[in-house]
Amino acid sequence: MNVKQQLLSLKAYSPGRTIEEVKKQYGLEKIIKLASNENPFGCSPKVAEALAALSSQFALYPDGAATVLRQKVAEHVGAEQNQLLFGSGLDEVIQIISRALLDETTNVVMASPTFSQYRHHAVIENAQIREVPLRDGVHDLEAMLGQVDENTRIVWICNPNNPTGTYVNEAEIVSFLERVPKTALVIMDEAYYEYATAADYPNTLALLPRYENLMVLRTFSKAYGIAALRMGYAVGHADLIQKIEVTRLPFNTSTVAQAAAIAALDDKEFLEYCVKVNEEGRQQYYEFCEAHDIPYYPSQGNFVFMEIGKTGDDVFQYLMQRGFIVRSGAGLGLGRGVRVTVGKREDNEQLTQLLLSFLNNSREETRS
Ligand SMILES: *Cc1c(COP(=O)(O)O)cnc(C)c1O
């Protein structure tokens, strides 16, 4: 049986090995997973409270319009309710938008490396892909602009960029939006928005009314800590959002995810705590890198990419055998180095100790 030709060049997403598998393989008791930028503190205790009350509703379909969550999020972002599109994580939002906008006559412009799903769905929709290499780890907006033409439907800007953690600032985005043709939708993927602390990190929601071709993506998977439940959303112009909505499945976000997101949004204290500890954790990693001459990208997310090791896979293996799962740069398109999620203080500390012993080992090897 044949599938669409373009699928043959892709692989189904492989999440890597599970904690249980790694434990068994290396005979480890405890594994710290710092591989997928999940919140090391879990989620607000209010989420579990909200979910406990739900079990009587499991037989019923969810509210396909996510009415209550929609009201909450509209208020939260300062937009109208009809400007929102909800998905089962941003992964699904990216799929929904790609399905609605792309076909073989169109092209998409994105950075490289960046979040893998933009490319994945462009391939499935048979769109042409124009990848623009990062410059010093940062989106090269000028070069990206040069790739936009009348057939460009989407420009993906991952801000901060996954896997580098780097960001483009307000002035750079505004300058880009002023010049890019209105026929290209500029999508700012702000999956790590809550963690961004730079004073010039763009306030894209405030820019939205000025640019009809701007859209902003946010998720509950990272700082809000409910990745398991799947909830993300787009904020855009109402007319475009309504057109795209047609490709959304009727009950794409569950009752459980909607209730959890509402509760998570209500607990501002938990979020503030996580953001503060994350900033300290980033600093912890920077100090380690600087003390040992390891190049790294300053990050606005909850992860830091460090250029360490010969291949990326070597550091990854070394850490995994010792109970830490991170992401190898090799699999992220960055080659040498690893992307490490900012964890709890004591976990970051242990991880940097292991990295130090890795460095000492490899320095001894080069000497002998
Ligand atoms: C994690 C991540 C996503 C996907 O998040 P979900 O909402 O869990 O699907 C999207 N974009 C970027 C840049 C991410 O890092």
Side-chain angles (χ1 to χ4, degrees), residues 3 5 81 101 115 128 131-133 135-136 138 141 144-145 158 165 168 200 231 235-236 239 244 248 272 329 335-336:
V3 297
Q5 184 66 27
Q81 291 182 34
L101 270 67
F115 190 60
Q128 190 198 62
E131 292 175 294
V132 178
R135 249 178 81 187
D136 303 324
V138 186
L141 289 183
M144 288 175 76
L145 191 61
C158 187
V168 289
D200 59 352
M231 180 61 77
V235 194
D239 49 346
I244 294 174
R248 181 179 66 77
E272 278 166 23
R336 194 175 157 241

Side-chain angles (χ1 to χ4, degrees), residues 215-227:
M215 189 175 280
V216 180
L217 309 188
R218 303 266 175 93
T219 181
F220 285 91
S221 295
K222 306 287 158 61
Y224 287 104
I226 52 170

Side-chain angles (χ1 to χ4, degrees), residues 78-100:
E80 297 298 326
Q81 291 182 34
N82 61 6
Q83 291 183 261
L84 302 175
L85 173 98
F86 291 93
S88 183
L90 277 187
D91 284 344
E92 197 199 17
V93 174
I94 293 165
Q95 181 196 41
I96 290 172
I97 297 171
S98 301
R99 186 165 187 197

Side-chain angles (χ1 to χ4, degrees), residues 62 64 85-88 92 96 230 248-254 258:
L85 173 98
F86 291 93
S88 183
E92 197 199 17
I96 290 172
R230 316 303 298 128
R248 181 179 66 77
L249 296 182
F251 304 107
N252 65 325
T253 65
S254 73
Q258 292 175 26

Side-chain angles (χ1 to χ4, degrees), residues 34-270:
L34 298 175
S36 302
N37 307 338
E38 291 132 327
N39 188 330
F41 298 101
C43 64
S44 160
K46 295 204 166 78
V47 170
E49 281 169 35
L51 296 193
L54 280 184
S55 60
S56 64
Q57 296 181 42
F58 288 171
L60 303 178
Y61 279 109
D63 170 8
T67 312
V68 182
L69 178 62
R70 185 176 295 274
Q71 288 163 358
K72 280 263 174 201
V73 170
E75 211 174 292
H76 178 67
V77 299
E80 297 298 326
Q81 291 182 34
N82 61 6
Q83 291 183 261
L84 302 175
L85 173 98
F86 291 93
S88 183
L90 277 187
D91 284 344
E92 197 199 17
V93 174
I94 293 165
Q95 181 196 41
I96 290 172
I97 297 171
S98 301
R99 186 165 187 197
L101 270 67
L102 305 180
D103 64 22
E104 68 282 357
T105 68
T106 65
N107 70 69
V108 290
V109 175
M110 66 188 76
S112 175
T114 189
F115 190 60
S116 62
Q117 294 302 297
Y118 316 144
R119 182 179 190 285
H120 189 87
H121 290 290
V123 171
I124 293 173
E125 303 305 335
N126 248 336
Q128 190 198 62
I129 296 154
R130 301 182 174 175
E131 292 175 294
V132 178
L134 299 174
R135 249 178 81 187
D136 303 324
V138 186
H139 276 66
D140 186 347
L141 289 183
E142 293 307 313
M144 288 175 76
L145 191 61
Q147 290 297 313
V148 175
D149 63 22
E150 69 277 11
N151 295 322
T152 303
R153 284 293 168 278
I154 304 176
V155 180
W156 292 102
I157 301 180
C158 187
N159 206 34
N161 189 43
N162 181 1
T164 48
T166 51
Y167 76 109
V168 289
N169 67 27
E170 170 108 7
E172 289 159 346
I173 285 297
V174 167
S175 156
F176 184 81
L177 287 167
E178 285 294 329
R179 291 175 293 153
V180 73
K182 297 290 183 226
T183 45
L185 180 65
V186 178
I187 307 186
M188 306 291 300
D189 181 345
E190 300 187 337
Y192 301 95
Y193 170 80
E194 293 78 13
Y195 287 121
T197 51
D200 59 352
Y201 181 83
N203 184 354
T204 44
L205 292 174
L207 296 175
L208 211 51
R210 256 165 62 199
Y211 301 101
E212 66 196 65
N213 57 334
L214 178 61
M215 189 175 280
V216 180
L217 309 188
R218 303 266 175 93
T219 181
F220 285 91
S221 295
K222 306 287 158 61
Y224 287 104
I226 52 170
L229 302 177
R230 316 303 298 128
M231 180 61 77
Y233 60 94
V235 194
H237 284 264
D239 49 346
L240 178 60
I241 291 282
Q242 299 325 302
K243 284 181 195 154
I244 294 174
E245 275 271 338
V246 173
T247 66
R248 181 179 66 77
L249 296 182
F251 304 107
N252 65 325
T253 65
S254 73
T255 304
V256 175
Q258 292 175 26
I262 291 165
L265 208 51
D266 273 338
D267 195 342
K268 298 200 166 51
E269 236 171 273
F270 174 79

Side-chain angles (χ1 to χ4, degrees), residues 15 32-38 316 325-327 339-341:
I32 309 287
K33 185 167 173 270
L34 298 175
S36 302
N37 307 338
E38 291 132 327
F316 167 78
I325 311 181
V326 301
R327 281 296 295 272
R339 188 193 69 193
V340 187
T341 303

